[in-house]
């Protein structure tokens, strides 16, 4: 008898429950059924697009792929790129990621479904398109031909697509930037500083033209960029008091107390750092004299002494490279980030070799 009562009770419960009871949207996570409704939802989605689209560490380490810096430790992924020994078996650091592009595609696809003012929606969409164009720019300059994905796939099978030509991807990037230049704001409030602006889109378009040798186009775009000015002093660019100065076209913003700034990879060993990223001798030599002459020109005129290479040099050299002075004395400098101060005392003498220096 008890068995039948249980069955009857269960049957009653299931019969009295409609589809709404069995098909509820999750309450502990975002869901397409409840998302894409308000401007707050858009802001969250756009924050996801900005999150990780660029970082200070990536910018610093990328210099190790040029003749400006060198990465001392192969496991960090840049040594073989810098010395030309990368291979299919050891390709070094990878930038082949579509995570941010996926996020941007998702926002762009859902903007048209939202019941908000068109002027609000188009600015959010334009920012996502800028970030997507920026990521494709990184992909194409690093890998050449890459898959051009502007709509997210519904299954892994759909995602099995070939690469598109570099030319096609570049044309897409340029067309996107041209289309959004007059949609993006010229500036934002201080709370939204760092978001993509008209000037950022123009600057990225100019860089692409310049990178691929289209100099006339680069000049035309460069001359159209307005609203920016050089800071009166070089050090002033990096002062917390001038964090939102008129020289900044695009910057990576981070939430205080949530994301730390780690200087350890760039500090010398004697100051507790790793010396992961060190400047090359060619970078040091590229700084001009205070007079504006190159060190080669100055040496011919007897105005540059290789035994005292830091005398009468461009003051930006001293601000950028830590070295012992000509008397062998240590220099102490302060790196400021809001209330944080780090005192650096380099303990490595400036070497005379032509390749990797012991500077920071």
């Amino acid at each position: 008898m008890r068995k039948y009562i249980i069955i009857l009770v269960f049957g009653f419960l299931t019969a009295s429950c409609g589809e709404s009871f069995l098909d509820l949207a999750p309450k502990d996570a975002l869901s397409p059924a409840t998302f894409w409704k308000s401007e707050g939802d858009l802001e969250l989605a756009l924050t996801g697009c900005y999150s990780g689209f660029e970082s200070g560490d990536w910018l610093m380490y990328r210099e190790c792929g040029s003749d400006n810096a060198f990465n001392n430790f192969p496991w960090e992924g840049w040594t073989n790129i810098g010395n030309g020994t990368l291979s299919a078996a050891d390709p070094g650091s990878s930038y082949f990621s579509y995570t941010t592009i996926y996020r941007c595609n998702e926002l762009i696809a859902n903007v048209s479904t939202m019941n908000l003012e068109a002027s609000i929606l188009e600015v959010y969409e334009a920012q996502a398109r800028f970030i997507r164009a920026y990521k494709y720019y990184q992909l194409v300059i690093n890998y050449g031909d890459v898959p051009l994905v502007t709509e997210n796939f519904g299954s892994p099978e759909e995602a099995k697509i070939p690469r598109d030509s570099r030319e096609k991807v570049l044309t897409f990037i340029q067309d996107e930037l041209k289309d959004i230049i007059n949609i993006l704001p010229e500036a934002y409030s201080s709370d939204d500083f760092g978001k993509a602006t008209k000037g950022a889109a123009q600057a990225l378009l100019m860089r692409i033209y310049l990178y691929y040798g289209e100099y006339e186009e680069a000049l035309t775009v460069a001359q159209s960029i307005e609203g920016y000015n050089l800071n009166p002093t070089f050090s002033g660019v990096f002062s917390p008091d001038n964090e939102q100065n008129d020289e900044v076209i695009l910057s990576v913003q981070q939430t205080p107390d949530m994301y730390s700034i780690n200087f350890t990879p760039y500090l010398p060993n004697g100051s507790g750092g790793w010396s992961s990223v060190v400047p090359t001798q060619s970078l040091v030599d590229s700084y001009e004299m205070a007079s504006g002459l190159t060190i080669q020109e100055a040496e011919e005129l007897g105005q540059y002494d290789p035994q005292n290479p830091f005398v009468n040099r461009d003051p930006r050299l001293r601000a950028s490279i830590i070295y012992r002075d000509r008397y062998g004395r240590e220099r102490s400098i302060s790196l400021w980030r809001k209330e944080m101060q780090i005192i650096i005392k380099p303990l490595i003498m400036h070497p005379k070799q032509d390749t990797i220096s012991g500077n920071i």
Side-chain angles (χ1 to χ4, degrees), residues 87-114:
S87 64
D90 186 12
S93 183
S94 173
Y95 283 87
F96 199 83
S97 171
Y98 278 74
T99 300
T100 298
I101 291 172
Y102 175 90
R103 294 172 180 174
C104 293
N105 285 345
E106 195 73 8
L107 186 150
I108 293 166
N110 283 282
V111 159
S112 60
T113 68
M114 302 188 68

Side-chain angles (χ1 to χ4, degrees), residues 58 115 123 188 243 288:
W58 292 350
N115 187 25
V123 173
Y188 296 89
E243 189 171 2
E288 299 171 343

Side-chain angles (χ1 to χ4, degrees), residues 43-100:
E43 188 67 33
L44 282 174
L46 185 63
T47 300
C49 296
Y50 277 109
S51 177
F53 96 98
E54 189 57 276
S55 80
D57 284 337
W58 292 350
L59 292 171
M60 289 291 289
Y61 272 91
R62 274 205 292 272
E63 288 296 315
C64 297
S66 72
D67 56 359
N68 290 334
F70 188 77
N71 180 209
N72 274 323
F73 307 115
W75 55 85
E76 292 184 322
W78 284 97
T79 304
N80 60 347
I81 296 176
N83 62 22
T85 61
L86 72 166
S87 64
D90 186 12
S93 183
S94 173
Y95 283 87
F96 199 83
S97 171
Y98 278 74
T99 300
T100 298

Side-chain angles (χ1 to χ4, degrees), residues 161-175:
I161 60 174
R163 296 184 297 173
D164 291 287
S165 69
R166 180 184 68 178
E167 291 72 24
K168 180 179 179 179
V169 180
L170 281 173
T171 299
F172 169 78
I173 297 170
Q174 292 166 359
D175 289 345

Side-chain angles (χ1 to χ4, degrees), residues 41 43 55 71 88 94 105 115 128 146 175 178-179 185 189 225 246 261 273 291 313 349:
D41 294 340
E43 188 67 33
S55 80
N71 180 209
S94 173
N105 285 345
N115 187 25
V146 295
D175 289 345
K178 292 175 186 176
D179 198 35
S189 66
I225 301 175
D246 291 340
I261 297 175
S291 63
R313 297 290 292 276
M349 289 293 288

Side-chain angles (χ1 to χ4, degrees), residues 60 72-73 263-279 320-324 330-333 335 342-350 357-360:
M60 289 291 289
N72 274 323
F73 307 115
F263 288 105
T264 307
Y266 320 116
L267 303 185
N269 299 134
S271 294
W274 301 344
S275 292
S276 291
V277 179
V278 293
S320 304
I321 309 294
I322 301 176
Y323 56 85
R324 286 181 183 251
E330 296 176 359
R331 286 180 53 216
S332 295
I333 67 170
L335 296 180
I342 300 176
I343 305 299
I344 302 174
K345 293 187 177 181
L347 302 177
I348 304 174
M349 289 293 288
H350 178 81
S357 79
N359 300 315
I360 178 173

